[in-house]
Amino acid sequence: MKHHSKRHWGDKWSLLIIRDLMDKNGCTYGDFLKSGEKIATNILAARLQALEENGLILKLEHPQSKAKVLYKLTQKGIDLLPIMVEINLWADKYFTIPEDRKAMVALMKKDKAKFIELGFETLKGGG
């Protein structure tokens, strides 16, 4: 039986959170606040809760700090990788993408299948 949450996860902020977790393979609350898009703390807290309720992310104890929480993607979240690649390629076609993302998009364009395969290995392997 499929679980339906009251909140949808496919909005801009949720996708940015998932993107950051794919890029870094684990983020703290503070890491999300530092991202270039300047998410407000109340929106961040609500989106993290919705993503957790939808089974896309997990809250874990931070290995270096008891005061911090580490957010990571679940298998359900990791399985969004091919979709996130397609969104990046679409964005590159129609918009000017930020400088810090151009190298990654170039790798996606060069060999999409290989990029996705390596991404899955990294995210599942924890490294």
Side-chain angles (χ1 to χ4, degrees):
M1 187 174 139
K2 291 205 182 287
H3 170 72
H4 294 284
S5 173
K6 296 185 294 275
R7 297 188 189 104
H8 60 95
W9 61 267
D11 64 289
K12 168 190 162 180
W13 294 115
S14 297
L15 291 171
L16 290 170
I17 289 167
I18 290 168
R19 178 202 73 187
D20 285 354
L21 286 170
M22 285 185 177
D23 288 355
K24 299 180 182 79
N25 198 13
C27 292
T28 63
Y29 194 85
D31 292 333
F32 294 119
L33 291 175
K34 285 180 216 146
S35 93
E37 289 79 18
K38 304 284 181 259
I39 188 168
T41 55
N42 60 324
I43 295 173
L44 176 58
R47 293 308 186 275
L48 288 169
Q49 188 181 346
L51 289 167
E52 194 180 1
E53 285 172 5
N54 281 291
L56 293 164
I57 66 171
L58 285 170
K59 261 199 303 203
L60 304 164
E61 280 184 20
H62 198 286
Q64 277 97 45
S65 168
K66 290 249 187 289
K68 289 182 183 174
V69 170
L70 190 66
Y71 293 92
K72 287 186 89 78
L73 292 167
T74 61
Q75 186 57 54
K76 186 177 176 183
I78 291 169
D79 284 344
L80 289 169
L81 177 64
I83 295 164
M84 297 300 283
V85 168
E86 292 301 336
I87 289 170
N88 275 282
L89 293 173
W90 175 83
D92 181 55
K93 188 173 177 180
Y94 293 105
F95 303 98
T96 304
I97 58 165
E99 282 300 321
D100 63 342
R101 303 208 54 83
K102 285 185 177 172
M104 187 180 286
V105 171
L107 290 171
M108 291 173 185
K109 284 173 155 171
K110 190 176 157 202
D111 191 341
K112 184 166 54 174
K114 186 78 176 161
F115 184 93
I116 291 169
E117 182 190 331
L118 290 172
F120 276 136
E121 277 176 28
T122 302
L123 292 166
K124 286 174 185 167

